[in-house]
Amino acid sequence: MDCFYETYDCKIDDKGRVKFPLSLVRHLGSFIQKKMVVKRSVFQKCLEIYPMEPWERLMSEINGLNRFVKKNADFIRMFTAGAKTIEIDNAERILVPKDLKVFACLEKEIVISGVGVFFELWDKDLYEKSIKINSEDFAHLSEEIMGDMKSGEESSKWGRR
């Protein structure tokens, strides 16, 4: 499966258009379609952009939830709130819907950050604040999250073999 991992500094214009860097456009080509889904992030003041294939896999899992359980119905509603289908135009730009642009505080300077099967769209200052952590804190976080992995064992959680 293709993953996004690069970070790009970009600009957004007053109308909400973002021109994708050429290397990102090439990477998206491996997903065949130019349609994507943009939505609010659950944990951060940024947007998540999914190519259709990973989005459809995620929605397939979410649609498996029992909607007669109130917390499931509430989750689905909140998770998909504001989600919209967008397309890359011939100039390799996307148009960020106004409500989502406001949600993520996107003004001029933005960052596109790959985070696996999707990528995030951030206001540059908010992005810099979100990744600001001293090396000791990051080392502790890395150990806590990744430290229980055993070398050489299969781990579907991290895609290692």
Side-chain angles (χ1 to χ4, degrees), residues 14 34 51 70 87 101 124 127-128 140 142:
D14 293 337
K34 288 193 168 192
K70 184 180 181 329
E87 289 190 54
K101 184 178 179 234
K124 185 171 178 67
Y127 177 76
E128 292 300 328
H140 178 70
S142 298

Side-chain angles (χ1 to χ4, degrees), residues 47-127:
L47 303 178
E48 298 173 350
I49 301 178
Y50 291 80
M52 290 308 287
E53 182 183 319
W55 175 256
E56 288 168 353
R57 280 195 311 268
L58 177 59
M59 288 307 298
S60 178
E61 288 183 36
I62 289 172
N63 284 328
L65 295 173
N66 183 344
R67 291 175 190 255
F68 288 98
V69 175
K70 184 180 181 329
K71 69 180 179 181
N72 291 353
D74 291 345
F75 167 78
I76 294 166
R77 184 179 315 103
M78 292 302 296
F79 184 81
T80 58
K84 296 184 176 59
T85 301
I86 58 173
E87 289 190 54
I88 301 174
D89 69 14
N90 291 335
E92 296 162 345
R93 300 174 303 187
I94 60 165
L95 178 62
V96 177
K98 185 173 178 137
D99 61 324
L100 296 177
K101 184 178 179 234
V102 169
F103 169 83
C105 306
L106 303 177
E107 292 297 324
K108 292 280 181 206
E109 302 293 322
I110 64 169
V111 172
I112 296 173
S113 177
V115 289
V117 297
F118 66 95
F119 51 95
E120 297 172 330
L121 209 58
W122 285 86
D123 168 77
K124 185 171 178 67
D125 291 337
L126 290 176
Y127 177 76

